[in-house]
Structures are given as structure tokens and as C-alpha cells.
Amino acid sequence: MTDRLRRPRALAASVSLAFALTGLAAAPTAWAGRPMATEDASVGDAGTCQLEAWTERSRADRSHWLKPSCVPFGSTEFALGAARVRDDAGERSSRLEWHVKHLLRETTGEQAGYGLFLGALRDRSAPGRSGERALKAMATLPLDGETLVMHLNAGLVRERNDGQRRTRALWSAALDRELWSETRGFVEAFATGSDRPAWQVGVQHQLLPGRLQVDAGIGSVAGRWRDTRQATVGLVFFTPALLR
């Protein structure tokens, strides 16, 4: 895979109001990374790390996230993130998230890539052990080389809330296009179970190619812009291969 497709995605726009944009907010969780809620089938080079820092804002609350991740060996990424949340009433809480992402086949401009994603999200302010665990398959399909690609996710999410448990299907799809040099835009849709789908659009730009990225996005549940709109903006810092 080329460097451009390899560069991990940050978020500031969650054109995927899934996890990056929604977390446990009003829109349904689609479970993905940033900036999209739809995970792409790529990870950084072995031995590299990245640090994502972003802010999400909805009508209900504002959250500030930090999420380091590394690819210590092979094609497997490990990530651990934490957030401080403040709702409109002034109440403060925190969230924790981790994921493991493994590539089964690398994506190139001529070849589709595939992988698996396992992650968990916990709201530490909720009663009991409220949170979610998700397992999904991901694919990245080149439609026009690296200029235009499609990302597809499908899987299951196990939800626990106030002692109640349920398992639901999830899906997401995104179109990811190069707009100009070092800048890509995306549009996506995603949903969990029978919930109304959500959408997101966003942009990501390499300020320092391979070292610093800025991104932003905005979206909502379909047909419910007034109550569920959410925006995010963030930075992603990339390291060279420090762990080799």
C-alpha cells in the first residue's frame, strides 16, 4: 500500500457519526476510527505510532479525546483512548475506549484490502458496567485507484446499559476521495440495528505529510439535524518507525 493510503485517519469530522463522532451521544454508534466512523482496511507501518487529539460537540455535550495507537509488529494496530465529557447542565464524566485492528490483506490502488476490528467503549459515569463491545469485518475497495475508494464495515455490537444486555448488527459505508494534493474528503452512512441511519461528511489534510494531520467533520441522524447534529475537529501526530 502507498504512504497515502497507509496514513491512519484522524478525526475531526466523523463523517461517520459512529464512534468517533458519536461515542455514546445521540447518534447511533457505528464503531470506527477517526475521522470516519467507517474503518478503512489499513494500518501504519510496523513500528510506528500516532496520537489523535480531537473535540466533539453536539447539542447534548462536549467531549475532548486523546487516543494513542501503535503498530508494534506485523499488521496489527493497538489503541487506547480516553475522554473528558461535559454536558450542557455542567455535569462531568469520562469515557474509555480500546481497539485492536488486524489486516488480513493490504489495500493497494489495484487490490482490495480486508481486516478485522475488535473494540470496547465504556462510559465511566453510567451506572453499573455500562458500555459496548464491537466486532466487525472491514473492506477497502479501490474504485479509481487511490483517488476514489470505498470502505465497508459489517459486524455486531454487544451493548450493556443499567444491567440490560443486547446484541445488534451494525453496518457502515463510506466514499473517500482525493480532493487535491494532501487533502481527502469523505461522505458516509452508518447504523446500528433498526435505528435510523446517520450520515457524516468531512475532510482531512496533511499539514506535514506523514507527520501531522488536521481533520474536521459534521453529521447527524438522517432527518433529525436539529436534535442530533454533531461536529468534530482534531489533530493527528504520526511518528517514524521508532519501535524497529
Side-chain angles (χ1 to χ4, degrees), residues 49-63:
C49 295
Q50 70 180 62
L51 173 64
E52 300 179 53
W54 73 95
T55 295
E56 299 172 9
R57 177 61 174 162
S58 70
R59 287 177 60 88
D61 59 38
R62 181 192 299 269
S63 61

Side-chain angles (χ1 to χ4, degrees), residues 19-234:
F19 174 53
L21 221 192
T22 49
L24 293 177
T29 301
W31 274 96
R34 300 185 68 247
M36 295 183 293
T38 307
E39 283 288 347
D40 62 339
S42 70
V43 297
D45 293 327
T48 62
C49 295
Q50 70 180 62
L51 173 64
E52 300 179 53
W54 73 95
T55 295
E56 299 172 9
R57 177 61 174 162
S58 70
R59 287 177 60 88
D61 59 38
R62 181 192 299 269
S63 61
H64 304 285
W65 282 86
L66 281 177
K67 183 180 178 184
S69 61
C70 290
V71 184
F73 51 80
S75 299
T76 304
E77 175 185 276
F78 299 86
L80 178 65
R84 296 293 296 173
V85 184
R86 181 173 180 174
D87 64 24
D88 286 347
E91 295 294 326
R92 298 178 184 272
S93 60
S94 61
R95 295 171 186 161
L96 296 175
E97 182 265 344
W98 62 264
H99 79 247
V100 177
K101 180 178 177 182
H102 178 68
L103 292 190
L104 300 174
R105 187 169 82 169
E106 183 181 39
T107 304
T108 69
E110 297 77 36
Q111 166 181 287
Y114 305 100
L116 296 173
F117 175 97
L118 174 66
L121 173 66
R122 182 181 176 189
D123 185 348
R124 299 185 64 188
S125 65
R129 299 175 61 85
S130 296
E132 302 176 353
R133 290 175 293 173
L135 174 64
K136 63 182 181 180
M138 54 195 181
T140 292
L141 312 176
L143 303 181
D144 183 13
E146 297 173 10
T147 300
L148 177 64
V149 297
M150 174 179 283
H151 309 295
L152 301 172
N153 292 177
L156 298 172
V157 57
R158 178 69 167 171
E159 302 170 345
R160 179 172 180 172
N161 185 22
D162 198 18
Q164 302 297 313
R165 294 183 177 87
R166 63 175 177 173
T167 300
R168 299 197 290 167
L170 61 82
W171 64 266
S172 60
L175 287 175
D176 175 1
R177 183 180 181 84
E178 181 179 31
L179 301 179
W180 53 84
S181 179
E182 307 301 341
T183 303
R184 300 186 71 88
F186 59 92
V187 57
E188 66 181 343
F190 46 91
T192 301
S194 59
D195 292 347
R196 185 187 293 254
W199 61 269
Q200 181 179 243
V201 295
V203 64
Q204 51 192 22
H205 176 69
Q206 296 282 330
L207 290 174
L208 298 174
R211 292 292 177 265
L212 177 62
Q213 174 182 293
V214 61
D215 49 65
I218 192 166
S220 76
V221 173
R224 296 179 180 173
W225 171 260
R226 178 183 294 272
D227 298 325
T228 65
R229 64 182 181 272
Q230 187 164 355
T232 132
V233 61

Side-chain angles (χ1 to χ4, degrees), residues 46-49 239-244:
T48 62
C49 295
T239 73
L242 300 176
L243 303 181
R244 287 181 179 172

